[in-house]
Amino acid sequence: MNSEIVEGSLLINPLIKALHTTILSPSKSDAESPTLSSAMVTPEEAKLHQFLQWLELNRAELRGCRIKYSESSKGFGIFSSNHASDGILLVVPLDLAITPMSVLQDPLLGPECRAMFEEGEVDDRLLITLFLTVEHLRENSSWKPYFDMLPTTFGNPLWFSEDELLELKGTTLYRAAQLQKKTLQSLFDEKVKRLAKKLLTLDGHPERDVKFEDFLWANSIFWSRALNIPFPRCYIFPMDSEGQDSDISSKSVNSATQTNGCGSLSNGESAKVPEYDALQDKVASAASVSQGEIVWVEGLVPGIDFCNHDFKAAATWEVDGTGATTGVPFSMYLLSAGENPSLIEKEISISYGNKGNEELLYLYGFVMNDNPDDYLMVHYPVEAIQNVDFSDSKAQLLEAQKAELRCLLPRSLLNRGFFPPSNSSEEDKDKPVSSQVCNYSWSGQRKTPSYVYNLVFPANFLNALRTLAMKETELYRVSSLLEELVGSGGERQPTDTEVQAAIWEACGDSGALQLLVDLLNMKMLDLEEGSGTEENDTELLEKACTAETPEDCKESRTSDIAQNHLLSRNKQSSIIYRRGQKQLTRLFVKEAEHALHLALTEEL
């Protein structure tokens, strides 16, 4: 980043002191403002006021939006304040991003972090998480106004109580959450606690206790708020006088960890910026960079990361390398996605991507009702292979064809299945699921099935199931076909496609589809054990009060009823997620059973 602003610019104590003074003893103009005029300033208003001053001091610009407290389930969000004619709502200098490069160039912690990285004790993600853990504990952290705005607890399963976690039982997420927390606990005990205390010693507080909850907080902050940022290459690797990348370090993070200097936070007094000619050199360099000359780096961008998720995003974020768009070189900006002016006080959302509720809950701690991007994970247990007949031979065939023992079944696949939902388009219904048709037969005895274009299950997964479901006679048939193809002396190894062709020739689809029906039915049994059917979940959600306190329940209900049906937000999210899993399982069972019926009919 910009080495020119490092020296003498990180005087954070005066900044923090000044900000606290502003809150405790507001100026006349502040006292007259609606936010600070009341004697009863809320904690959220106080934190927000500090944060906005911090953003301004570090050259961030709120042009067509404001940040304010949304609700307890969302925390702070970004809302439209007026119509920005160019559609640019918020601009944040990339110098303000927390990335592996900024960590390694931190004036206090950077040298020790660099040593840890070069010795292989941390990778890029753990480097950021460790930095967040330590900085959050430092009283004089230059990031304090930003950290004070961040949530202290989360809705992802790592923060669930034992009672809440039981609501996930039977789902893929239940076991994943248990394993993840166990892994993080081990990582903390074996490495993070020791490294964090070493860094805190640099701050003059070796006695400060580092708890697992501190690391868990940092981990959740990273995974719920980090962006994959396309930095201009010249910003990451400044050119030397001979036009070569600067030799900054023998190692890098995400192909880009070191720079000639990292932008640091403004102290609010001198507010130093790079010298004009140096900045112009970098801008000119960025202007000549082609689209392909970017380096993707994970990091947090204060301000931008307060945008919440929605299916229909109201804005997108972009990086401006030259300043031609925003007037701020090397910045990230929030751009309105709509052609019409935004409504005042309307929340500005971005899309986190096409993520199902399983991923949204696992990473971000929330779910969406009727999520069109929901998916179902189905797998055949690896440990069960040793219990099937001729397990060794089948294991060799699985390896030879690079077969997949698990698959993701997105809801969107149903649009092209036997029973498409009523809201699917005609284009979806007519479009084949896969161009890979099962007409591998070289004998001509097995014809392409009539249902192949409506079969919604991935070919690689069906290949694995065909192999596992093979009977003894079919296994000998496969061996014979492959020997005929490659020669009895084994002059060459058959390709994975040839192995798949031989297996389909010998087995067809019925055995694989029967096994698939069994797997899906077993999944449904696991999902329903202890929680009942999809209808039970729907009834529970309809009757329950999904609020933080009983007072938030509908006034028509008595307090006793409200208490009996009060759900925590974590339980509500879990029930919505597992109900969606049951619904998808039911729909895919229907698809598999119909395909099995057709396969049996055509194989007669």
Side-chain angles (χ1 to χ4, degrees):
M1 294 186 182
N2 298 317
S3 59
E4 297 86 347
I5 69 173
V6 173
E7 183 178 357
S9 66
L10 196 73
L11 303 177
I12 193 60
N13 286 340
L15 171 61
I16 297 298
K17 183 178 179 181
L19 291 178
H20 278 293
T21 302
T22 302
I23 295 299
L24 296 176
S25 304
S27 64
K28 181 178 180 181
S29 59
D30 287 335
E32 292 174 353
S33 69
T35 304
L36 297 176
S37 61
S38 172
M40 299 296 292
V41 176
T42 67
E44 288 76 19
E45 289 172 338
K47 290 187 290 187
L48 178 58
H49 185 67
Q50 280 189 307
F51 178 63
L52 292 177
Q53 284 195 332
W54 182 82
L55 284 178
E56 183 179 358
L57 289 170
N58 288 284
R59 300 182 296 118
E61 302 175 10
L62 279 72
R63 297 183 179 179
C65 69
R66 58 185 297 226
I67 300 173
K68 70 175 186 177
Y69 193 71
S70 177
E71 57 180 86
S72 59
S73 63
K74 290 184 177 181
F76 289 94
I78 297 182
F79 294 78
S80 58
S81 61
N82 55 62
H83 174 49
S85 59
D86 58 0
I88 297 175
L89 306 169
L90 172 64
V91 183
V92 179
L94 290 177
D95 286 343
L96 206 55
I98 300 177
T99 65
M101 299 92 69
S102 66
V103 173
L104 293 175
Q105 293 295 326
D106 183 82
L108 178 65
L109 306 181
E112 188 63 44
C113 286
R114 182 189 296 266
M116 292 175 183
F117 176 73
E118 291 180 344
E119 292 168 8
E121 289 194 282
V122 296
D123 59 14
D124 51 354
R125 288 173 174 171
L126 184 56
L127 184 67
I128 294 180
T129 307
L130 179 63
F131 178 79
L132 293 173
T133 303
V134 172
E135 283 292 309
H136 192 231
L137 292 173
R138 293 181 60 213
E139 294 178 359
N140 294 327
S141 170
S142 55
W143 300 96
K144 181 174 172 53
Y146 170 54
F147 288 160
D148 285 348
M149 290 279 289
L150 300 178
T152 55
T153 60
F154 301 83
N156 69 63
L158 291 175
W159 296 79
F160 280 19
S161 66
E162 290 297 324
D163 185 48
E164 290 169 336
L165 195 60
L166 287 175
E167 299 291 349
L168 295 173
K169 199 166 185 180
T171 68
T172 303
L173 198 49
Y174 178 70
R175 181 62 175 157
Q178 290 179 315
L179 290 174
Q180 185 193 26
K181 192 163 188 177
K182 184 178 179 179
T183 300
L184 290 175
Q185 182 71 63
S186 297
L187 180 60
F188 175 79
D189 294 339
E190 297 169 8
K191 180 182 290 188
V192 171
K193 186 172 185 179
R194 171 177 55 84
L195 297 180
K197 288 188 73 68
K198 183 185 293 187
L199 295 177
L200 285 170
T201 301
L202 300 174
D203 191 38
H205 293 281
E207 77 287 349
R208 184 166 293 161
D209 189 28
V210 183
K211 300 178 181 178
F212 175 62
E213 287 72 22
D214 299 320
F215 175 56
L216 196 61
W217 174 87
N219 181 81
S220 294
I221 288 292
F222 174 79
W223 284 105
S224 63
R225 306 181 83 88
L227 299 171
N228 201 16
I229 309 168
F231 281 88
R233 181 178 177 81
C234 61
Y235 185 83
I236 302 298
F237 299 111
M239 297 292 184
D240 60 21
S241 58
E242 297 179 358
Q244 301 296 318
D245 286 349
S246 299
D247 183 15
I248 300 163
S249 174
S250 60
K251 292 188 177 183
S252 62
V253 179
N254 268 350
S255 301
T257 58
Q258 315 297 328
T259 70
N260 252 353
C262 201
S264 54
L265 308 186
S266 168
N267 59 44
E269 296 178 352
S270 61
K272 285 191 176 182
V273 295
E275 294 297 330
Y276 181 80
D277 55 348
L279 179 60
Q280 290 304 305
D281 287 344
K282 292 188 73 175
V283 171
S285 177
S288 65
V289 168
S290 67
Q291 277 295 102
E293 292 181 300
I294 59 175
V295 180
W296 292 88
V297 180
E298 290 178 316
L300 281 69
V301 184
I304 298 288
D305 64 346
F306 287 105
C307 279
N308 291 310
H309 169 74
D310 200 352
F311 295 132
K312 297 180 179 179
T316 58
W317 58 262
E318 305 286 346
V319 167
D320 185 6
T322 64
T325 302
T326 64
V328 182
F330 302 107
S331 63
M332 178 179 286
Y333 61 97
L334 199 62
L335 181 66
S336 176
E339 295 181 359
N340 297 323
S342 299
L343 297 175
I344 302 300
E345 296 302 316
K346 178 181 174 67
E347 183 165 11
I348 298 170
S349 58
I350 61 175
S351 173
Y352 294 179
N354 299 329
K355 292 178 170 60
N357 280 341
E358 189 166 283
E359 193 173 359
L360 289 177
L361 186 56
Y362 186 72
L363 293 178
Y364 305 104
F366 67 89
V367 295
M368 306 289 285
N369 277 307
D370 301 318
N371 189 338
D373 298 311
D374 248 351
Y375 57 79
L376 186 72
M377 178 181 286
V378 183
H379 77 283
Y380 186 92
V382 176
E383 61 273 13
I385 295 178
Q386 60 186 359
N387 297 323
V388 302
D389 294 334
F390 310 103
S391 58
D392 290 342
S393 298
K394 291 180 179 180
Q396 292 176 10
L397 289 171
L398 288 171
E399 184 178 355
Q401 59 188 311
K402 302 179 180 67
E404 298 286 345
L405 291 175
R406 65 175 59 202
C407 71
L408 290 180
L409 301 175
R411 179 185 293 273
S412 58
L413 287 176
L414 295 167
N415 294 337
R416 306 187 295 258
F418 298 110
F419 308 100
S422 56
N423 59 353
S424 60
S425 67
E426 290 301 320
E427 182 180 352
D428 285 337
K429 295 176 184 178
D430 295 337
K431 186 177 180 180
V433 175
S434 171
S435 60
Q436 186 175 359
V437 180
C438 297
N439 189 17
Y440 303 128
S441 177
W442 52 73
S443 68
Q445 295 179 2
R446 191 176 293 282
K447 304 297 184 183
T448 301
S450 63
Y451 53 81
V452 66
Y453 289 114
N454 293 105
L455 202 57
V456 299
F457 304 101
N460 282 344
F461 189 58
L462 288 178
N463 290 335
L465 297 186
R466 290 188 189 101
T467 305
L468 292 166
M470 271 195 295
K471 300 174 184 176
E472 181 177 6
T473 55
E474 293 169 339
L475 185 59
Y476 284 126
R477 174 68 171 150
V478 169
S479 177
S480 176
L481 288 171
L482 291 176
E483 183 177 330
E484 175 185 332
L485 183 67
V486 302
S488 58
E491 288 79 5
R492 68 176 180 86
Q493 291 294 318
T495 66
D496 54 348
T497 303
E498 289 169 342
V499 174
Q500 294 166 6
I503 292 174
W504 185 78
E505 171 84 8
C507 305
D509 289 334
S510 58
L513 291 170
Q514 180 62 68
L515 184 53
L516 178 59
V517 169
D518 294 341
L519 287 174
L520 288 168
N521 281 327
M522 288 175 61
K523 188 171 186 69
M524 183 65 88
L525 287 174
D526 289 340
L527 287 168
E528 292 181 346
E529 183 180 3
S531 62
T533 64
E534 180 186 336
E535 289 73 22
N536 294 137
D537 287 339
T538 298
E539 183 179 0
L540 181 59
L541 289 170
E542 289 175 348
K543 289 183 177 180
C545 175
T546 54
E548 298 293 341
T549 64
E551 287 76 15
D552 294 330
C553 297
K554 292 183 179 180
E555 296 180 0
S556 59
R557 295 194 174 103
T558 66
S559 59
D560 288 340
I561 295 177
Q563 289 284 358
N564 289 337
H565 294 286
L566 180 64
L567 287 178
S568 69
R569 292 192 182 277
N570 292 344
K571 283 192 174 183
Q572 179 199 25
S573 297
S574 299
I575 295 171
I576 292 173
Y577 158 61
R578 80 179 184 216
R579 180 181 64 172
Q581 293 291 287
K582 292 173 185 177
Q583 183 188 68
L584 286 178
T585 303
R586 170 175 55 82
L587 294 173
F588 281 112
V589 165
K590 186 177 180 181
E591 291 283 333
E593 287 179 339
H594 189 69
L596 174 60
H597 170 73
L598 294 176
L600 290 171
T601 301
E602 295 187 15
E603 288 176 12
L604 289 177

